[in-house]
Amino acid sequence: GQQVMQIPQYQHVQEGEDFTTYCNSSTTLSNIQWYKQRPGGHPVFLIQLVKSGEVKKQKRLTFQFGEAKKNSSLHITATQTTDVGTYFCAGGGGAQKLVFGQGTRLTINP
Amino acid sequence: GAVVSQHPSRVICKSGTSVKIECRSLDFQATTMFWYRQFPKQSLMLMATSNEGSKATYEQGVEKDKFLINHASLTLSTLTVTSAHPEDSSFYICSAPSAGSGYGYTFGSGTRLTVV
């Protein structure tokens, strides 16, 4: 079945450094979504990418969808302590089901 | 925006008992609800998909008789963990497609189940 691989599993940075997490799917995706889960919380929707090669920005966050619609990345510029959490990508598949990547846990040294 | 209210947030139960978890969509209709299980520091594992007025679709390896799902109305889906055992202890979370395309999925706040 469809698999979504996400790396790295963990990332620790100094506050102010940049951060990037990558997702790769075994199959072409109809769309990819990104979520953030704070420690002890639930996933919160960040963004959805649909088009091949699409790039979207939300303040310091930049999301990209690959040309082949099989990979995606999330880049955070100049991290802040509020960025701490686990970032998940989720590939849109059939019947509206989402297949989640393993997540990247971001910790930040203030 | 779309909100999914999930209760209870935490529950401790004895082995052999059953626990019901409710997810209600507030201010939107959720014809489909997805139920996930999440172990500490791990990803979300889809357990089943519930559809209003029809039987739930379970993922491979998920026991239908153990995890009973009911989606009786457009705003309520329930998951009942029957005859719970310690290995069922986990974080259970529901989600529904948010109203409108491009708005992702709205998650409930999750239920931390501990079976003792």
Side-chain angles (χ1 to χ4, degrees), chain A residues 21-62:
Chain A
T21 174
Y22 302 89
C23 269
N24 279 289
S25 169
S26 57
T27 58
T28 301
L29 300 168
S30 59
N31 67 80
I32 194 153
Q33 300 178 21
W34 285 90
Y35 292 81
K36 177 182 179 181
Q37 185 175 23
R38 292 180 184 274
H42 60 276
V44 173
F45 174 73
L46 294 177
I47 208 159
Q48 176 176 290
L49 303 171
V50 179
K51 299 178 183 176
S52 168
E54 190 169 14
V55 178
K56 286 188 176 180
K57 292 191 175 185
Q58 288 179 350
K59 296 183 180 178
R60 295 178 293 103
L61 277 62
T62 302

Short mmCIF file of all heavy atoms in Angstrom, two decimals, chain A residues 21-62:
data_model
loop_
_atom_site.label_atom_id
_atom_site.label_comp_id
_atom_site.label_asym_id
_atom_site.label_seq_id
_atom_site.Cartn_x
_atom_site.Cartn_y
_atom_site.Cartn_z
N THR A 21 12.11 19.62 7.00
CA THR A 21 11.69 18.23 7.06
C THR A 21 11.20 17.82 5.68
O THR A 21 10.62 18.63 4.94
CB THR A 21 10.60 18.00 8.12
OG1 THR A 21 10.12 16.65 8.03
CG2 THR A 21 9.41 18.93 7.98
N TYR A 22 11.47 16.55 5.33
CA TYR A 22 11.20 16.08 3.98
C TYR A 22 10.28 14.86 4.00
O TYR A 22 10.37 14.01 4.87
CB TYR A 22 12.52 15.66 3.30
CG TYR A 22 13.55 16.75 3.22
CD1 TYR A 22 14.47 16.94 4.25
CD2 TYR A 22 13.61 17.59 2.11
CE1 TYR A 22 15.43 17.94 4.17
CE2 TYR A 22 14.57 18.59 2.02
CZ TYR A 22 15.47 18.76 3.06
OH TYR A 22 16.41 19.75 2.99
N CYS A 23 9.44 14.80 2.98
CA CYS A 23 8.53 13.67 2.83
C CYS A 23 8.67 13.06 1.45
O CYS A 23 8.78 13.79 0.45
CB CYS A 23 7.08 14.13 2.98
SG CYS A 23 6.52 14.04 4.65
N ASN A 24 8.63 11.73 1.41
CA ASN A 24 8.64 11.03 0.13
C ASN A 24 7.57 9.96 0.12
O ASN A 24 7.45 9.19 1.08
CB ASN A 24 10.00 10.37 -0.11
CG ASN A 24 11.01 11.36 -0.63
OD1 ASN A 24 10.94 11.81 -1.76
ND2 ASN A 24 11.95 11.73 0.22
N SER A 25 6.83 9.93 -0.97
CA SER A 25 5.77 8.94 -1.09
C SER A 25 6.18 7.87 -2.09
O SER A 25 6.88 8.14 -3.05
CB SER A 25 4.48 9.61 -1.55
OG SER A 25 3.52 8.64 -1.92
N SER A 26 5.68 6.67 -1.83
CA SER A 26 5.96 5.57 -2.76
C SER A 26 5.10 5.68 -4.02
O SER A 26 5.39 5.04 -5.04
CB SER A 26 5.70 4.23 -2.07
OG SER A 26 4.37 4.16 -1.58
N THR A 27 4.04 6.47 -3.95
CA THR A 27 3.15 6.63 -5.10
C THR A 27 2.86 8.12 -5.32
O THR A 27 3.11 8.94 -4.44
CB THR A 27 1.82 5.90 -4.88
OG1 THR A 27 1.21 6.41 -3.69
CG2 THR A 27 2.04 4.40 -4.70
N THR A 28 2.35 8.43 -6.48
CA THR A 28 1.96 9.81 -6.77
C THR A 28 0.77 10.20 -5.89
O THR A 28 -0.17 9.43 -5.72
CB THR A 28 1.57 9.95 -8.26
OG1 THR A 28 2.67 9.56 -9.06
CG2 THR A 28 1.20 11.40 -8.58
N LEU A 29 0.86 11.38 -5.34
CA LEU A 29 -0.17 11.85 -4.42
C LEU A 29 -1.14 12.81 -5.11
O LEU A 29 -0.73 13.60 -5.95
CB LEU A 29 0.47 12.56 -3.24
CG LEU A 29 1.43 11.73 -2.39
CD1 LEU A 29 2.22 12.62 -1.44
CD2 LEU A 29 0.68 10.66 -1.63
N SER A 30 -2.39 12.73 -4.72
CA SER A 30 -3.36 13.71 -5.23
C SER A 30 -3.13 15.06 -4.54
O SER A 30 -3.34 16.12 -5.15
CB SER A 30 -4.79 13.22 -4.97
OG SER A 30 -4.99 13.02 -3.59
N ASN A 31 -2.72 15.00 -3.30
CA ASN A 31 -2.39 16.22 -2.58
C ASN A 31 -1.54 15.84 -1.39
O ASN A 31 -1.43 14.66 -1.03
CB ASN A 31 -3.65 16.96 -2.10
CG ASN A 31 -4.42 16.19 -1.05
OD1 ASN A 31 -4.07 16.20 0.13
ND2 ASN A 31 -5.48 15.51 -1.47
N ILE A 32 -0.91 16.81 -0.77
CA ILE A 32 -0.17 16.55 0.46
C ILE A 32 -0.55 17.63 1.47
O ILE A 32 -0.72 18.80 1.11
CB ILE A 32 1.36 16.48 0.25
CG1 ILE A 32 2.02 15.89 1.49
CG2 ILE A 32 1.93 17.85 -0.08
CD1 ILE A 32 3.32 15.19 1.21
N GLN A 33 -0.71 17.20 2.69
CA GLN A 33 -1.09 18.12 3.75
C GLN A 33 -0.01 18.09 4.83
O GLN A 33 0.68 17.09 5.00
CB GLN A 33 -2.43 17.71 4.36
CG GLN A 33 -3.57 17.71 3.34
CD GLN A 33 -4.89 17.27 3.92
OE1 GLN A 33 -5.11 17.32 5.13
NE2 GLN A 33 -5.80 16.84 3.05
N TRP A 34 0.11 19.20 5.52
CA TRP A 34 1.07 19.29 6.62
C TRP A 34 0.33 19.66 7.90
O TRP A 34 -0.58 20.51 7.90
CB TRP A 34 2.14 20.34 6.32
CG TRP A 34 3.15 19.88 5.32
CD1 TRP A 34 3.09 20.03 3.96
CD2 TRP A 34 4.37 19.18 5.59
NE1 TRP A 34 4.21 19.47 3.38
CE2 TRP A 34 5.00 18.94 4.35
CE3 TRP A 34 5.00 18.75 6.76
CZ2 TRP A 34 6.24 18.28 4.25
CZ3 TRP A 34 6.22 18.09 6.67
CH2 TRP A 34 6.82 17.88 5.43
N TYR A 35 0.75 19.00 8.98
CA TYR A 35 0.15 19.22 10.29
C TYR A 35 1.24 19.44 11.32
O TYR A 35 2.36 18.94 11.19
CB TYR A 35 -0.69 18.00 10.71
CG TYR A 35 -1.93 17.81 9.87
CD1 TYR A 35 -1.87 17.18 8.63
CD2 TYR A 35 -3.16 18.26 10.32
CE1 TYR A 35 -3.01 17.01 7.85
CE2 TYR A 35 -4.31 18.09 9.56
CZ TYR A 35 -4.21 17.48 8.33
OH TYR A 35 -5.34 17.32 7.57
N LYS A 36 0.86 20.17 12.37
CA LYS A 36 1.77 20.37 13.50
C LYS A 36 1.07 19.85 14.75
O LYS A 36 -0.10 20.16 14.99
CB LYS A 36 2.11 21.85 13.68
CG LYS A 36 2.98 22.13 14.89
CD LYS A 36 3.24 23.62 15.04
CE LYS A 36 4.09 23.90 16.27
NZ LYS A 36 4.34 25.35 16.45
N GLN A 37 1.82 19.08 15.53
CA GLN A 37 1.28 18.57 16.79
C GLN A 37 2.19 19.02 17.92
O GLN A 37 3.36 18.62 17.98
CB GLN A 37 1.18 17.04 16.76
CG GLN A 37 0.53 16.43 17.98
CD GLN A 37 0.33 14.92 17.86
OE1 GLN A 37 1.02 14.25 17.10
NE2 GLN A 37 -0.61 14.36 18.62
N ARG A 38 1.66 19.84 18.78
CA ARG A 38 2.43 20.27 19.93
C ARG A 38 2.48 19.14 20.95
O ARG A 38 1.58 18.30 20.98
CB ARG A 38 1.81 21.51 20.57
CG ARG A 38 1.89 22.75 19.70
CD ARG A 38 1.25 23.95 20.39
NE ARG A 38 1.23 25.12 19.55
CZ ARG A 38 2.23 25.99 19.45
NH1 ARG A 38 3.32 25.80 20.16
NH2 ARG A 38 2.13 27.03 18.67
N PRO A 39 3.50 19.11 21.80
CA PRO A 39 3.56 18.06 22.83
C PRO A 39 2.28 18.01 23.65
O PRO A 39 1.81 19.02 24.15
CB PRO A 39 4.76 18.50 23.68
CG PRO A 39 5.62 19.30 22.75
CD PRO A 39 4.66 20.02 21.84
N GLY A 40 1.70 16.81 23.73
CA GLY A 40 0.46 16.63 24.48
C GLY A 40 -0.79 17.08 23.76
O GLY A 40 -1.90 16.99 24.30
N GLY A 41 -0.63 17.57 22.55
CA GLY A 41 -1.78 18.09 21.81
C GLY A 41 -2.20 17.21 20.66
O GLY A 41 -1.77 16.06 20.54
N HIS A 42 -3.03 17.76 19.80
CA HIS A 42 -3.51 17.03 18.65
C HIS A 42 -3.01 17.71 17.38
O HIS A 42 -2.64 18.89 17.41
CB HIS A 42 -5.05 16.96 18.65
CG HIS A 42 -5.70 18.31 18.61
ND1 HIS A 42 -5.91 19.07 19.73
CD2 HIS A 42 -6.19 19.03 17.57
CE1 HIS A 42 -6.50 20.19 19.40
NE2 HIS A 42 -6.68 20.21 18.10
N PRO A 43 -2.99 16.98 16.27
CA PRO A 43 -2.52 17.60 15.02
C PRO A 43 -3.39 18.76 14.60
O PRO A 43 -4.62 18.70 14.67
CB PRO A 43 -2.61 16.44 14.02
CG PRO A 43 -2.55 15.20 14.84
CD PRO A 43 -3.29 15.55 16.10
N VAL A 44 -2.73 19.80 14.13
CA VAL A 44 -3.44 20.98 13.64
C VAL A 44 -3.02 21.20 12.19
O VAL A 44 -1.83 21.21 11.88
CB VAL A 44 -3.11 22.22 14.49
CG1 VAL A 44 -3.72 23.47 13.87
CG2 VAL A 44 -3.61 22.03 15.92
N PHE A 45 -3.99 21.38 11.35
CA PHE A 45 -3.76 21.56 9.92
C PHE A 45 -2.98 22.84 9.66
O PHE A 45 -3.30 23.91 10.18
CB PHE A 45 -5.10 21.59 9.20
CG PHE A 45 -5.02 21.91 7.73
CD1 PHE A 45 -4.53 20.96 6.84
CD2 PHE A 45 -5.44 23.13 7.24
CE1 PHE A 45 -4.48 21.23 5.48
CE2 PHE A 45 -5.39 23.42 5.88
CZ PHE A 45 -4.91 22.47 5.00
N LEU A 46 -1.93 22.70 8.83
CA LEU A 46 -1.16 23.88 8.43
C LEU A 46 -1.50 24.29 7.00
O LEU A 46 -1.82 25.46 6.75
CB LEU A 46 0.34 23.58 8.53
CG LEU A 46 0.92 23.33 9.93
CD1 LEU A 46 2.39 22.97 9.83
CD2 LEU A 46 0.70 24.53 10.83
N ILE A 47 -1.40 23.32 6.08
CA ILE A 47 -1.57 23.69 4.68
C ILE A 47 -1.81 22.46 3.82
O ILE A 47 -1.49 21.34 4.22
CB ILE A 47 -0.33 24.45 4.17
CG1 ILE A 47 -0.68 25.42 3.04
CG2 ILE A 47 0.77 23.49 3.73
CD1 ILE A 47 0.35 26.51 2.85
N GLN A 48 -2.36 22.68 2.65
CA GLN A 48 -2.53 21.63 1.66
C GLN A 48 -1.93 22.08 0.34
O GLN A 48 -2.14 23.21 -0.08
CB GLN A 48 -4.02 21.30 1.46
CG GLN A 48 -4.27 20.27 0.36
CD GLN A 48 -5.72 19.88 0.24
OE1 GLN A 48 -6.26 19.21 1.09
NE2 GLN A 48 -6.37 20.32 -0.84
N LEU A 49 -1.17 21.17 -0.28
CA LEU A 49 -0.61 21.44 -1.60
C LEU A 49 -1.23 20.47 -2.58
O LEU A 49 -1.36 19.28 -2.28
CB LEU A 49 0.92 21.27 -1.57
CG LEU A 49 1.67 22.13 -0.54
CD1 LEU A 49 3.13 21.71 -0.48
CD2 LEU A 49 1.56 23.60 -0.89
N VAL A 50 -1.56 20.97 -3.74
CA VAL A 50 -2.27 20.15 -4.72
C VAL A 50 -1.53 20.08 -6.07
O VAL A 50 -1.47 19.03 -6.70
CB VAL A 50 -3.70 20.69 -4.95
CG1 VAL A 50 -4.42 19.85 -5.99
CG2 VAL A 50 -4.48 20.69 -3.66
N LYS A 51 -0.96 21.18 -6.47
CA LYS A 51 -0.39 21.25 -7.82
C LYS A 51 1.08 20.84 -7.86
O LYS A 51 1.84 21.09 -6.92
CB LYS A 51 -0.50 22.69 -8.34
CG LYS A 51 -1.93 23.20 -8.45
CD LYS A 51 -1.93 24.65 -8.92
CE LYS A 51 -3.34 25.19 -8.97
NZ LYS A 51 -3.35 26.63 -9.32
N SER A 52 1.45 20.24 -8.94
CA SER A 52 2.84 19.86 -9.17
C SER A 52 3.74 21.10 -9.09
O SER A 52 3.44 22.13 -9.71
CB SER A 52 2.95 19.22 -10.55
OG SER A 52 4.28 19.07 -10.94
N GLY A 53 4.81 21.00 -8.29
CA GLY A 53 5.76 22.11 -8.17
C GLY A 53 5.27 23.28 -7.33
O GLY A 53 5.93 24.32 -7.26
N GLU A 54 4.17 23.11 -6.67
CA GLU A 54 3.57 24.20 -5.90
C GLU A 54 4.44 24.61 -4.73
O GLU A 54 5.06 23.77 -4.08
CB GLU A 54 2.19 23.79 -5.41
CG GLU A 54 1.36 24.91 -4.81
CD GLU A 54 -0.08 24.51 -4.58
OE1 GLU A 54 -0.40 23.30 -4.63
OE2 GLU A 54 -0.91 25.41 -4.34
N VAL A 55 4.51 25.91 -4.48
CA VAL A 55 5.21 26.46 -3.33
C VAL A 55 4.27 27.42 -2.62
O VAL A 55 3.68 28.29 -3.25
CB VAL A 55 6.49 27.21 -3.74
CG1 VAL A 55 7.17 27.83 -2.50
CG2 VAL A 55 7.46 26.30 -4.47
N LYS A 56 4.13 27.22 -1.32
CA LYS A 56 3.29 28.12 -0.53
C LYS A 56 4.05 28.60 0.68
O LYS A 56 4.86 27.85 1.24
CB LYS A 56 2.00 27.41 -0.09
CG LYS A 56 0.97 27.22 -1.20
CD LYS A 56 -0.34 26.71 -0.64
CE LYS A 56 -1.39 26.60 -1.71
NZ LYS A 56 -2.69 26.10 -1.18
N LYS A 57 3.77 29.82 1.08
CA LYS A 57 4.44 30.38 2.27
C LYS A 57 3.43 30.83 3.29
O LYS A 57 2.37 31.37 2.96
CB LYS A 57 5.34 31.54 1.85
CG LYS A 57 6.52 31.15 1.02
CD LYS A 57 7.52 32.30 0.87
CE LYS A 57 8.76 31.83 0.12
NZ LYS A 57 9.79 32.88 0.05
N GLN A 58 3.81 30.60 4.54
CA GLN A 58 3.05 31.12 5.67
C GLN A 58 4.06 31.74 6.60
O GLN A 58 4.71 31.04 7.38
CB GLN A 58 2.30 30.01 6.41
CG GLN A 58 1.12 29.42 5.69
CD GLN A 58 0.45 28.31 6.49
OE1 GLN A 58 0.97 27.86 7.52
NE2 GLN A 58 -0.70 27.85 6.04
N LYS A 59 4.23 33.02 6.51
CA LYS A 59 5.20 33.74 7.34
C LYS A 59 6.58 33.09 7.19
O LYS A 59 7.18 33.13 6.14
CB LYS A 59 4.74 33.79 8.78
CG LYS A 59 3.44 34.57 8.96
CD LYS A 59 3.03 34.65 10.42
CE LYS A 59 1.73 35.44 10.56
NZ LYS A 59 1.27 35.51 11.97
N ARG A 60 7.10 32.46 8.23
CA ARG A 60 8.44 31.88 8.16
C ARG A 60 8.43 30.44 7.63
O ARG A 60 9.49 29.82 7.53
CB ARG A 60 9.06 31.90 9.56
CG ARG A 60 9.33 33.30 10.12
CD ARG A 60 9.90 33.26 11.54
NE ARG A 60 8.92 32.74 12.50
CZ ARG A 60 8.95 31.51 12.98
NH1 ARG A 60 9.91 30.67 12.65
NH2 ARG A 60 8.03 31.11 13.85
N LEU A 61 7.27 29.92 7.31
CA LEU A 61 7.16 28.54 6.83
C LEU A 61 7.00 28.52 5.31
O LEU A 61 6.17 29.25 4.76
CB LEU A 61 5.95 27.85 7.47
CG LEU A 61 6.11 27.27 8.87
CD1 LEU A 61 6.45 28.33 9.90
CD2 LEU A 61 4.86 26.52 9.27
N THR A 62 7.79 27.66 4.66
CA THR A 62 7.69 27.49 3.21
C THR A 62 7.45 26.02 2.91
O THR A 62 8.20 25.16 3.38
CB THR A 62 8.98 27.94 2.49
OG1 THR A 62 9.23 29.31 2.80
CG2 THR A 62 8.83 27.79 0.99
#
